[in-house]
Amino acid sequence: MSAIRIDGKAVADTLLAEVGQDVAGLRQQGVHPALAVILVGDDPASDVYVRNKVQRAEAVGIRSLEYRLPANTSEAALLERVQALNGDASVHGILVQMPLPAHISEASVIQAIAPHKDVDGFHRENVGSLSLGQESLVPCTPAGCMRLLRTVLGEDGLKGLHAVVVGRSNIVGKPMAALLLQADCSVTVVHSRSRDAAALCRQADIMVAAVGRPAMIGADWVKPGAIVIDVGINRIATPEGKTRLIGDVDYPAVAPLAHAITPVPGGVGPMTIAGLLANTVKAARQQTGH
Ligand SMILES: Nc1nc(=O)c2c([nH]1)NC[C@@H]1CN(c3ccc(C(=O)N[C@@H](CCC(=O)O)C(=O)O)cc3)C=[N+]21
């Protein structure tokens, strides 16, 4: 038996094509969706992500503004930049790339973003709405995972299944659990303090791994026939002295027993960027009434 390899790149391309059509429609009505991306410091990984986001945005017709601020930027200066963008009606989405330098409070910056421009869905107003099952801007990575699950299981196919989320971060684990609950799954969240995490995971019909530990999830963590979504993006050194990307799941060990599984790269990562651009269009619609 060999698992279905869930092609996140292809699903993301379909979503991006839809976003591109929406953007074209809005532009005909005189609305040009715009996304501002702020990067503080010169972390090379962040630099690559930001460049990808800007390129993808422009490919679907979204205007992008890129702000690169030095690593020693003060929190006050960053907050001023955010507030200026909050007040700029031509900007519909604001993303501040994480992580931020240690002297800046990520929480303060997130709360400073106008909730209707918070395309990451990290502001407490959006977090609260998601948890209440109300309309909101939904965090891009968990939203992307849900879309991948629906491509495998169908629109209503998640109902009643047991989903286990591994990891409890504010950006993936917690919103993921909320979305799965919204889709009528029974949800378990497993984390570093869980007793017998592997045994809990073996009960999962759906497993979402978001811990940031390379290949941590082995075959003994997975029920045969489960659907496995790997959110991990870990850059590891190869014996040849290069680096490569690897997920939180030990793909070669788990793929033979899963029903379906996402690869890394080419799984959840591309969905995150597509979701960001979809959120930008949604934000532009809300702000302009189109
Ligand atoms: N405010 C904020 N919002 C974010 O959404 C955010 C962030 N900060 N900080 C960093 C993380 C990371 N992240 C990724 C997005 C796409 C890929 C992606 O497209 N990955 C490709 C591979 C890319 C490569 O080759 O490096 C893939 O998995 O196939 C990865 C990682 C968004 N993040």
Side-chain angles (χ1 to χ4, degrees):
M1 190 177 82
S2 178
I4 299 168
R5 183 185 174 91
I6 304 171
D7 188 346
K9 176 82 174 58
V11 179
D13 285 345
T14 304
L15 177 55
L16 286 171
E18 290 169 23
V19 171
Q21 293 204 327
D22 288 349
V23 172
L26 281 168
R27 288 178 71 168
Q28 268 176 356
Q29 297 171 279
V31 176
H32 196 168
L35 170 67
V37 180
I38 305 176
L39 174 59
V40 184
D42 43 21
D43 174 51
S46 292
D47 187 74
V48 172
Y49 293 140
V50 167
R51 220 175 318 134
N52 279 348
K53 283 169 188 167
V54 167
Q55 263 171 17
R56 284 295 149 104
E58 280 162 6
V60 296
I62 291 176
R63 184 166 76 96
S64 67
L65 296 82
E66 212 180 322
Y67 297 91
R68 289 170 176 270
L69 309 179
N72 64 1
T73 300
S74 69
E75 183 174 308
L78 177 56
L79 292 175
E80 238 172 78
R81 169 51 61 204
V82 168
Q83 273 142 17
L85 292 166
N86 283 343
D88 182 343
S90 74
V91 170
H92 307 100
I94 302 170
L95 178 146
V96 180
Q97 183 75 12
M98 306 292 167
L100 287 168
H103 67 276
I104 299 178
S105 156
E106 292 184 347
S108 304
V109 174
I110 289 166
Q111 299 320 314
I113 298 171
H116 56 286
K117 296 192 178 187
D118 168 37
V119 285
D120 270 324
F122 294 166
H123 190 284
R124 58 167 72 91
E125 183 166 321
N126 287 314
V127 176
S129 296
L130 173 61
S131 135
L132 291 168
Q134 295 168 355
E135 178 64 25
S136 64
L137 288 166
V138 175
C140 312
T141 300
C145 294
M146 291 303 291
R147 198 162 169 123
L148 293 178
L149 285 168
R150 291 194 165 106
T151 63
V152 176
L153 288 162
E155 208 52 44
D156 289 331
L158 282 76
K159 275 192 204 312
L161 298 184
H162 183 199
V164 175
V165 179
V166 193
R168 53 173 158 176
S169 68
N170 291 334
I171 62 173
V172 182
K174 287 180 197 170
M176 190 73 230
L179 287 168
L180 289 162
L181 191 54
Q182 200 69 41
D184 294 325
C185 289
S186 300
V187 181
T188 300
V189 180
V190 166
H191 50 77
S192 55
R193 305 283 173 182
S194 292
R195 228 176 265 180
D196 208 348
L200 290 169
C201 287
R202 278 197 301 275
Q203 297 173 23
D205 303 309
I206 294 169
M207 180 157 69
V208 180
V211 276
R213 299 183 60 183
M216 186 189 92
I217 308 289
D220 53 337
W221 290 62
V222 179
K223 175 163 86 174
I227 299 172
V228 179
I229 305 291
D230 189 354
V231 180
I233 297 190
N234 309 290
R235 196 168 287 279
I236 61 162
T238 66
E240 299 83 45
K242 295 188 176 168
T243 67
R244 71 181 179 95
L245 291 184
I246 178 173
D248 292 343
V249 177
D250 183 348
Y251 189 98
V254 169
L257 62 141
H259 168 61
I261 181 168
T262 60
V264 177
V268 173
M271 294 299 295
T272 297
I273 294 188
L276 170 69
L277 302 179
N279 273 352
T280 303
V281 168
K282 184 175 176 182
R285 280 193 197 293
Q286 283 170 348
Q287 285 159 50
T288 60
H290 281 85

